[in-house]
Amino acid sequence: MYKLTIELDWASDETLTINSHDFEKLQIIQEFIEFQQEHGWAVDYEAVDKSEDDAEEEVPAFALNAHEPL
């Protein structure tokens, strides 16, 4: 098990501790928190879900022939 402990800049004496078996996830979390601390926690960003295919949803044939708009 890996352990990540980060001192939070904006909190006087607080730390964040995360235990995980996945070292790569801990690295991602650490990089994210360091980035936020460097930029004042006021950065706009967009979360992206990479777990699903980017393929377009297939439209059923009956929908293409419908008289009503989709």
Side-chain angles (χ1 to χ4, degrees), residues 35-61:
F35 178 85
Q36 294 296 337
Q37 288 186 15
E38 288 175 14
H39 296 89
W41 291 87
V43 178
D44 290 332
Y45 61 93
E46 181 179 333
V48 177
D49 183 5
K50 293 184 178 184
S51 64
E52 296 188 21
D53 279 340
D54 292 334
E56 291 185 26
E57 187 176 318
E58 187 175 330
V59 178

Side-chain angles (χ1 to χ4, degrees), residues 15-56:
T15 59
L16 174 67
T17 303
I18 303 170
N19 295 310
S20 176
H21 293 287
D22 190 339
F23 183 74
E24 290 179 13
K25 286 182 183 177
L26 289 178
Q27 283 182 311
I28 292 169
I29 293 168
Q30 181 179 13
E31 290 171 7
F32 174 78
I33 291 173
E34 287 174 355
F35 178 85
Q36 294 296 337
Q37 288 186 15
E38 288 175 14
H39 296 89
W41 291 87
V43 178
D44 290 332
Y45 61 93
E46 181 179 333
V48 177
D49 183 5
K50 293 184 178 184
S51 64
E52 296 188 21
D53 279 340
D54 292 334
E56 291 185 26

